[in-house]
């Protein structure tokens, strides 16, 4: 029977079984995490990254990070970022990087003064190494990822492989969430972000990765489903991941996923012929109807509380004063830090200590942009400008990479509500720098693109 199945379907089935096995025997999550690390090294050393295997391995690592964190499978909390860095450095060792990526070397250099200031000024009660590493690892991961991806040519087919690779651990994640909380009605009592519906882990991070999953499943459904069976398959998975993302009660990831889908539809529509434009309009209208169906089901399962959450009301329907769960106040303190130290900032890792000392608030930053301003000052502004402008300039040179804006806005929106806690924002940002090409006319037609 297995011989008749598409290998892709077999891999999805395997990841459903991984979720079941980890749920029954939690220790297996550590084995799974170790297997990812070992397999990545073996694959890259064996293939010498002859076909961008480094990207494929990192896509899997990034997608599996939340599942491993929620099940205790990571040996180190930040190990996904370290793995992305190491695997992409191996890829660079074998295949090099673009000489035109100097702009990101400038980005890296701009961060160094803040690291030095942080190392010198952090209080004696703080573990300096950990404080700096925690706050700089996201940017370092982004730098290595951009170094690898900058103008690197990949085919439309290879982009499909990346998306299919990313959805595999997401299948495990969603399956585990259903096993962990089979009945949503039994655990939802308020409108705050819900750990019970998020596998006992941070709802913000779970929502973030599931929002990315919404986009991946939709892109596969739209562009890479060759048969009705694959279309139905991706459609069903899209419904499941969307529902579980919504009931985390964390809005950021869901809204980001929707925005990514809208940008994908918009760009594909722009470069489609008249016939395909009509098809895409039906897809758009169908997506709205399906979204309303998933939303209605979610409202019913949460006794209407999810609706209150999205209109910023509490369980009794009263308007909340705080719209972003305290993030506004944290961001404002960081802007104040920037105003007090506009040249070089207060130093990497210092913002948490500074905030506690002057406001009594004990919390890490949720916004990477305001954190860069606070810790790096005017150099942080330059670093932000490099990150904001470069992908858009490259997009003008490679307009047929219609994933660019979706990936770009995933990074931009995610770092505004979840900072760079995960490896995903850094890696997905870097994917927006890839140069996507078509191997043949059939592949171009499959992408529903028509060159004028």
């Amino acid at each position: 029977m297995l011989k008749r199945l598409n290998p892709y379907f077999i891999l999805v089935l395997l990841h459903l079984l991984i979720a079941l096995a980890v749920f029954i025997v939690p220790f297996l999550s550590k084995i799974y995490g170790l297997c990812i690390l070992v397999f990545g090294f073996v694959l890259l050393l064996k293939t010498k990254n002859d076909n961008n295997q480094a990207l494929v391995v990192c896509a899997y690592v990034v997608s599996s990070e939340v599942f491993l964190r929620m099940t205790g499978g990571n040996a180190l909390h930040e190990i996904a970022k370290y793995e992305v860095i190491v695997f992409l450095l191996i890829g660079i060792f074998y295949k090099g990087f673009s000489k035109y990526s100097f702009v990101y070397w400038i980005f890296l250099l701009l961060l160094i003064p803040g690291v030095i200031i942080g190392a010198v000024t952090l209080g004696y009660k703080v573990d300096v190494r950990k404080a700096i590493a925690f706050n700089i690892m996201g940017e370092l991961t982004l730098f290595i990822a951009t170094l690898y991806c900058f103008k690197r040519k990949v085919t439309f087919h290879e982009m499909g492989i990346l998306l299919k690779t990313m959805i595999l651990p997401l299948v495990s994640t969603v399956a585990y969430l259903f096993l962990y909380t089979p009945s949503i009605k039994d655990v939802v009592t308020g409108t705050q972000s819900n750990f019970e519906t998020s596998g006992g882990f941070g709802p913000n991070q779970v929502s973030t990765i599931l929002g990315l999953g919404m986009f991946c499943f939709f892109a596969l459904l739209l562009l890479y489903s060759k048969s009705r069976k694959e279309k139905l398959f991706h459609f069903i998975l899209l419904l499941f991941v969307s529902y579980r993302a919504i009931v985390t009660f964390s809005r950021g990831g869901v809204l980001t996923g929707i925005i990514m889908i809208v940008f994908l539809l918009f760009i594909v529509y722009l470069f489609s012929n008249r016939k395909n434009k009509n098809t895409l309009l039906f897809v758009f209208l169908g997506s709205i109807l399906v979204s309303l169906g998933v939303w209605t089901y979610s409202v019913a399962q949460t006794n209407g509380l999810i609706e209150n959450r999205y209109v910023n009301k509490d369980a009794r329907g009263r308007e909340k004063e705080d719209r972003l769960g305290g993030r506004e106040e944290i961001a404002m303190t960081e802007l104040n830090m920037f105003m007090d130290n506009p040249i070089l900032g207060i130093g990497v890792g210092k913002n948490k200590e500074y905030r506690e000392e002057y406001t009594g608030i004990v919390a890490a930053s949720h916004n990477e942009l305001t954190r860069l301003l606070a810790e790096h000052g005017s150099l942080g502004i330059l670093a932000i400008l490099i990150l904001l402008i470069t992908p858009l300039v490259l997009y003008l040179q490679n307009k047929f990479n219609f994933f660019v804006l979706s990936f770009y806005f995933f990074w931009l929106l995610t770092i505004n509500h979840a900072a760079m806690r995960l490896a995903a924002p850094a890696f997905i940002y870097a994917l927006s720098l890839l140069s996507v090409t078509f191997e043949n006319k059939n592949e171009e037609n499959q992408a529903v693109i028509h060159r004028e």
Side-chain angles (χ1 to χ4, degrees):
M1 180 179 177
L2 287 177
K3 290 182 179 179
R4 297 179 183 177
L5 286 175
N6 185 313
Y8 172 52
F9 293 152
I10 294 176
L11 286 173
V12 171
L13 178 61
L14 174 62
H15 283 78
L16 286 172
L17 295 175
I18 287 174
L20 178 61
V22 169
F23 181 75
I24 296 172
V25 185
F27 179 76
L28 291 177
S29 181
K30 298 185 184 297
I31 305 299
Y32 174 49
L34 181 62
C35 287
I36 294 172
L37 181 62
V38 173
F39 178 79
F41 274 115
V42 171
L43 180 65
L44 289 177
L45 295 177
K46 185 177 180 179
T47 63
K48 297 182 179 180
N49 196 38
D50 59 0
N51 200 27
N52 281 316
Q53 284 85 359
L55 279 181
V56 176
V57 171
C58 288
Y60 193 93
V61 168
V62 164
S63 186
S64 64
E65 182 178 12
V66 167
F67 177 72
L68 289 171
R69 282 189 180 182
M70 74 166 60
T71 57
N74 280 336
L76 299 172
H77 187 70
E78 298 281 295
I79 195 170
K81 292 173 184 172
Y82 290 108
E83 287 178 0
V84 169
I85 289 172
V86 171
F87 290 145
L88 290 180
L89 284 175
I90 293 174
I92 289 172
F93 174 77
Y94 284 120
K95 294 298 178 180
F97 60 91
S98 172
K99 63 182 179 180
Y100 299 108
S101 61
F102 66 90
V103 65
Y104 287 104
W105 285 99
I106 296 173
F107 165 77
L108 182 67
L109 291 174
L110 290 171
L111 302 180
I112 293 176
V115 173
I116 296 172
I117 293 171
V120 172
T121 62
L122 278 167
Y124 68 92
K125 294 182 179 180
V126 179
D127 187 323
V128 175
R129 183 187 63 81
K130 286 185 178 180
I132 292 177
F134 177 79
N135 286 280
I136 206 67
M137 276 304 298
E139 276 69 30
L140 184 57
T141 305
L142 185 145
F143 166 70
I144 298 297
T146 55
L147 200 63
Y148 181 92
C149 292
F150 193 90
K151 284 193 171 184
R152 188 176 295 272
K153 289 185 177 181
V154 297
T155 66
F156 173 75
H157 174 70
E158 288 173 335
M159 289 301 296
I161 292 174
L162 277 180
L163 292 174
K164 287 183 176 180
T165 301
M166 277 195 278
I167 67 107
L168 294 175
L170 290 172
V171 168
S172 298
T173 305
V174 174
Y176 183 85
L177 291 175
F178 275 103
L179 291 169
Y180 189 91
T181 319
S183 175
I184 299 300
K185 286 184 177 181
D186 293 341
V187 297
V188 174
T189 57
T191 60
Q192 69 278 7
S193 295
N194 196 304
F195 282 79
E196 287 297 317
T197 61
S198 305
F201 188 63
N204 196 19
Q205 295 181 33
V206 175
S207 172
T208 295
I209 207 68
L210 293 184
L212 177 61
M214 289 166 58
F215 169 79
C216 291
F217 285 118
F218 184 86
L220 289 170
L221 173 63
L222 180 67
L223 302 173
Y224 294 97
S225 297
K226 297 179 181 179
S227 64
R228 289 183 179 179
K229 185 185 294 185
E230 281 197 16
K231 288 179 181 178
L232 179 61
F233 178 69
H234 290 136
F235 176 71
I236 292 172
L237 290 175
L238 175 61
L239 293 181
F240 281 124
V241 74
S242 300
Y243 168 62
R244 292 306 307 210
I246 291 171
V247 298
T248 62
F249 278 74
S250 184
R251 297 162 291 188
V254 176
L255 296 176
T256 298
I258 292 171
I259 291 170
M260 291 177 76
I261 289 170
V262 170
F263 273 111
L264 177 64
L265 278 171
F266 174 71
I267 294 179
V268 172
Y269 181 84
L270 284 181
F271 293 100
S272 295
N273 57 31
R274 183 177 298 177
K275 179 182 177 181
N276 285 326
K277 282 183 177 179
N278 292 332
T279 301
L280 286 169
L281 285 175
F282 281 111
V283 170
F284 178 69
L285 293 174
S287 299
I288 292 176
L289 291 175
V290 170
S291 299
L292 289 174
V294 174
W295 175 256
T296 302
Y297 182 74
S298 301
V299 170
Q301 289 297 303
T302 60
N303 296 314
L305 291 175
I306 191 64
E307 195 168 12
N308 285 358
R309 173 64 170 171
Y310 276 77
V311 295
N312 201 49
K313 294 181 179 179
D314 62 18
R316 295 184 179 182
R318 297 172 298 191
E319 189 79 20
K320 292 182 181 179
E321 293 182 8
D322 182 3
R323 299 190 64 85
L324 299 175
R327 292 184 179 88
E328 310 104 310
E329 190 172 0
I330 294 173
M332 285 304 300
T333 63
E334 289 171 338
L335 291 176
N336 290 334
M337 294 176 206
F338 169 70
M339 296 301 292
D340 292 339
N341 303 270
I343 307 301
L344 296 177
I346 61 174
V348 173
K350 186 73 175 177
N351 81 80
K352 186 176 180 180
E353 181 183 301
Y354 190 102
R355 184 161 39 250
E356 182 180 0
E357 181 180 348
Y358 286 93
T359 69
I361 300 172
V362 183
S365 177
H366 284 271
N367 190 310
E368 201 69 17
L369 298 180
T370 55
R371 190 193 67 77
L372 281 170
L373 291 176
E375 296 186 349
H376 299 275
S378 59
L379 299 184
I381 294 177
L382 295 176
I384 291 169
L385 289 175
I386 288 173
L387 296 180
L388 290 174
I389 295 172
T390 307
L392 301 180
V393 172
L394 289 186
Y395 176 59
L396 296 177
Q397 302 171 12
N398 183 220
K399 293 182 180 180
F400 296 106
N401 182 358
F402 42 80
F403 297 104
V404 167
L405 293 182
S406 296
F407 290 155
Y408 177 81
F409 278 98
F410 172 81
W411 163 78
L412 183 58
L413 295 173
T414 298
I415 65 171
N416 272 280
H417 72 85
M420 294 184 77
R421 302 278 203 279
L422 300 174
F427 180 72
I428 299 300
Y429 172 90
L431 294 183
S432 70
L433 306 177
L434 293 171
S435 177
V436 178
T437 60
F438 297 95
E439 292 181 325
N440 51 56
K441 191 67 178 179
N442 288 334
E443 189 177 71
E444 189 173 340
N445 290 335
Q446 184 184 345
V448 295
I449 286 179
H450 175 71
R451 298 191 189 204
E452 301 295 340

